[in-house]
Amino acid sequence: MMTAPSETKATSKSRAHNWLDQRFKISALVDYMGHKVVPVHGHSIFYYFGGITLFLFIVQVVTGILLLMYYRPGADSAYESVRFIVSEVAFGWLIRALHSWSANLMILFAFLHMFTVYFTHAYRKPRELTWLSGVGLLALALGFGFSGYLLPWNELAFFATRVGTGMAGAIPVIGDELLVIMRGGEEVTGATIGRFFGLHVAILPALFTVLLSVHLIFVQRQGMSEPLEWQHLPASQKKYQKFFPNFLYRDLLVWLIALNVLALLAVVFPDGVGPIHWPLGTKADPFAPPPPVIRPEWYFMFAFQALKLLPPHVLFIEGELFGILLFTIGGLIWALVPFLDRKSQVNQRSRLYYAFGYVVLAFIIIMTFLGYVAE
């Protein structure tokens, strides 16, 4: 008696499943995911922001590895290697565009993810450490942006890095040492590229991978946060969907849409567009005069603009140093909100921390806007 092709295929699939299950216990993982549920409500779309951020990070890793095959760090080789990538290597321009666009979008969605978590009070007990690990991931993502900006060794990157590292040098007590560590000397040179290259391709990815793993484990163990309003609803009025396969399939569909948008942006705007741009331009020359307008990346613009607006001295402190201290204190308060917001720990809204969140959001938007229109 002959076996139907469909039966043969099913048997092969079953054998493969059994082979893997005997070695890796995947049935237990599928069973665990099958029991997980995701709340369904008006703000469910926010659940996908974290997944999009993760997807863009994966694109960063893949395109970064491809760029590494041709990139050569150093004052005499960095600019030339990037020019070779975008002009001689097959699809090199596309890989660089995908890497740059995914970097900017990853930071954008990391910000969106953070603010949606904040305003939905999803940081409340028992997710305090999940919030802290997320804030740490955003800080590392900003570190990726700062360290990667210098690597093409073009004019704008050189002078922007000199300004950025100069701000770090203004920190009292440790400023001078920190500046030398960041630059690899007193000035921005080829040694600085070496420092930033190591930071960008080794140290930050290692730290990010570890912290991301911790963050994802926390999310998986604690599940998705339910809205505060649900605590007063009877169980019959709460809606859920299974994480596997329903939510996972939707998440993968969102990733597919994100990939299409990313590819479209990279093809149509390979050097970026508007304030988000990364043209190669001219090679850095430390002896050339700085360009008339030096701007950081858009995600640093709010801090850059705020520091520019401060007077030379505030009381007995230098204006720039005063600003750095304020940003440091503000960042610490933001990171510790789950522990400071006592009402959230008993599932209550806090008007004070709502207002704090809106002030921070408005400050970032207004300062960023002024940074681009004030010149």
Side-chain angles (χ1 to χ4, degrees), residues 5-25:
S6 59
E7 292 180 0
T8 304
K9 186 177 179 181
T11 303
S12 301
K13 185 178 178 181
S14 177
R15 286 177 178 171
H17 177 272
N18 292 336
W19 191 89
L20 290 171
D21 192 42
Q22 289 173 1
R23 288 156 180 79
F24 303 107
K25 309 297 181 187

Side-chain angles (χ1 to χ4, degrees), residues 3-74:
T3 306
S6 59
E7 292 180 0
T8 304
K9 186 177 179 181
T11 303
S12 301
K13 185 178 178 181
S14 177
R15 286 177 178 171
H17 177 272
N18 292 336
W19 191 89
L20 290 171
D21 192 42
Q22 289 173 1
R23 288 156 180 79
F24 303 107
K25 309 297 181 187
I26 58 173
S27 293
L29 179 62
V30 172
D31 185 58
Y32 171 75
M33 291 193 296
H35 286 84
K36 278 196 65 178
V37 293
V38 178
V40 178
H41 51 84
H43 296 155
S44 294
I45 190 173
F46 296 152
Y47 291 148
Y48 297 97
F49 286 179
I52 295 174
T53 310
L54 173 62
F55 168 73
L56 293 168
F57 172 69
I58 294 172
V59 174
Q60 284 278 282
V61 173
V62 174
T63 54
I65 290 172
L66 293 175
L67 291 173
L68 269 179
M69 295 180 180
Y70 294 95
Y71 179 75
R72 299 289 178 267

